[in-house]
Amino acid sequence: MLETGGGMEEVRQRICRVVHEPFERSSIFVDLNRFVRKITVYNGLGEVAFAGAAVSGAAQEMSVVEQMRGFFTVMQRLLQLSGEENALTASVFEKHFIREKSDIQINVRGFLNERFANAPARHPLPFILRTLTQAVIAPAVCELKRNIGIDHPYKDWPSGWYININVESPTLVRITHKKSEQAHYPAGAYKFTWYLSLTLALPPSPSAATAADPAVAVAPPATPQQDPRVADVQLYVREWEIAEDLYPPDKAADLVHKLSAYRQQAAQTPPAPTH
């Protein structure tokens, strides 16, 4: 089996450093308006609670502002945040997005900075937002490039990156980045899809003692001084395709060997929902 143990520990450590950085240093300020269209949020029953335009096929009907409004509304409901929290988010959102045709990047930065930059450390949303960035998957990208890409150069599959958010309960959220790659040369020689799954342990909201929505699991009693944390990190490969007529048998065998090292790690990881 390909040796990935040391590399994976480094991946976990680097990801944890990224998500624990001060919010104002997060790349979410430049990433959210690009990625919200590729996000799917699932409730505790595994049902789709929100789907971005690239997932739902409503690219022409849903503006970025509409998608972000829907995303925050759904996330706050599933996390069972208080009515005061929800009202504050809505108020700050409308303040910065009152004119949809203005500079979206400035609007996003203004909204996120005012609403979450000074939020308490126990607030779940800023922590979750940090996991939806290009920076959080960078350690996994480096790991795969080092162990696979050196001998088998590959590049991004067009529109091949999606993010699934499973809100299993207000205190347990799983973020799964799904990314597809393709052979750099020869074109069409192979394709594979990898997943980076982060399990987040979150502090219960003070208002989360009961759940009016049956799709929202009830949170356990609050634990004093509990801060959000990354409880687990999994990097795995679930599927690949190799064109036998385009890729030499010896190289194909070596590629399968390298991919299989990551596929075996998926045995202990629940399947990522499809978008």
Side-chain angles (χ1 to χ4, degrees):
M1 178 176 176
L2 183 68
E3 180 57 49
T4 61
M8 275 309 301
E9 181 56 32
E10 181 183 350
V11 168
R12 294 184 182 95
Q13 292 177 2
R14 291 178 60 193
I15 287 174
C16 287
R17 286 198 294 269
V18 169
V19 299
H20 284 287
E21 284 186 341
F23 187 73
E24 59 270 19
R25 291 174 55 187
S26 170
S27 60
I28 192 63
F29 293 99
V30 295
D31 287 342
L32 182 59
N33 64 299
R34 296 189 296 127
F35 292 162
V36 68
R37 59 190 298 271
K38 295 191 171 188
I39 291 175
T40 306
V41 179
Y42 297 83
N43 62 25
L45 299 178
E47 303 165 335
V48 174
F50 167 84
V55 181
S56 65
Q60 302 303 318
E61 291 77 21
M62 295 176 65
S63 70
V64 172
V65 174
E66 290 172 326
Q67 291 171 77
M68 285 197 289
R69 181 185 288 112
F71 170 74
F72 282 105
T73 298
V74 166
M75 288 300 296
Q76 292 185 135
R77 175 173 61 82
L78 294 181
L79 292 170
Q80 297 181 20
L81 300 185
S82 67
E84 292 79 5
E85 286 273 355
N86 297 344
L88 178 58
T89 300
S91 174
V92 176
F93 188 94
E94 297 306 325
K95 170 185 174 181
H96 288 278
F97 290 97
I98 190 170
R99 295 185 300 276
E100 291 198 14
K101 292 185 179 181
S102 58
D103 191 318
I104 187 70
Q105 194 67 65
I106 294 176
N107 293 347
V108 171
R109 178 171 291 276
F111 163 66
L112 293 177
N113 189 58
E114 179 176 345
R115 180 62 186 91
F116 298 116
N118 297 312
R122 298 179 74 252
H123 199 299
L125 261 178
F127 192 74
I128 291 172
L129 289 172
R130 290 183 183 93
T131 70
L132 309 181
T133 65
Q134 194 157 349
V136 87
I137 73 163
V141 170
C142 293
E143 164 77 4
L144 293 171
K145 286 288 188 181
R146 179 172 60 246
N147 285 313
I148 299 173
I150 291 177
D151 295 326
H152 307 277
Y154 58 82
K155 59 183 178 179
D156 295 343
W157 183 268
S159 302
W161 184 359
Y162 291 88
I163 304 173
N164 294 327
I165 303 176
N166 283 37
V167 185
E168 299 181 15
S169 79
T171 59
L172 181 62
V173 175
R174 193 185 314 278
I175 310 294
T176 304
H177 292 262
K178 175 185 177 183
K179 197 167 186 302
S180 296
E181 315 284 1
Q182 61 180 325
H184 194 276
Y185 181 84
Y190 61 84
K191 174 187 177 183
F192 67 92
T193 301
W194 59 270
Y195 302 80
L196 177 67
S197 178
L198 312 179
T199 301
L200 310 182
L202 307 173
S205 165
S207 62
T210 59
D213 188 339
V216 180
V218 178
T223 301
Q225 304 303 314
Q226 181 183 354
D227 288 339
R229 63 185 178 89
V230 179
D232 188 42
V233 175
Q234 295 287 332
L235 174 60
Y236 52 95
V237 175
R238 275 229 163 85
E239 59 270 348
W240 58 75
E241 300 173 6
I242 301 176
E244 296 181 357
D245 58 330
L246 294 176
Y247 217 45
D250 58 333
K251 292 186 69 68
D254 183 67
L255 176 59
V256 169
H257 170 68
K258 288 177 165 60
L259 292 172
S260 296
Y262 292 96
R263 193 174 200 178
Q264 291 172 18
Q265 297 181 29
Q268 299 178 349
T269 307
T274 59
H275 60 271

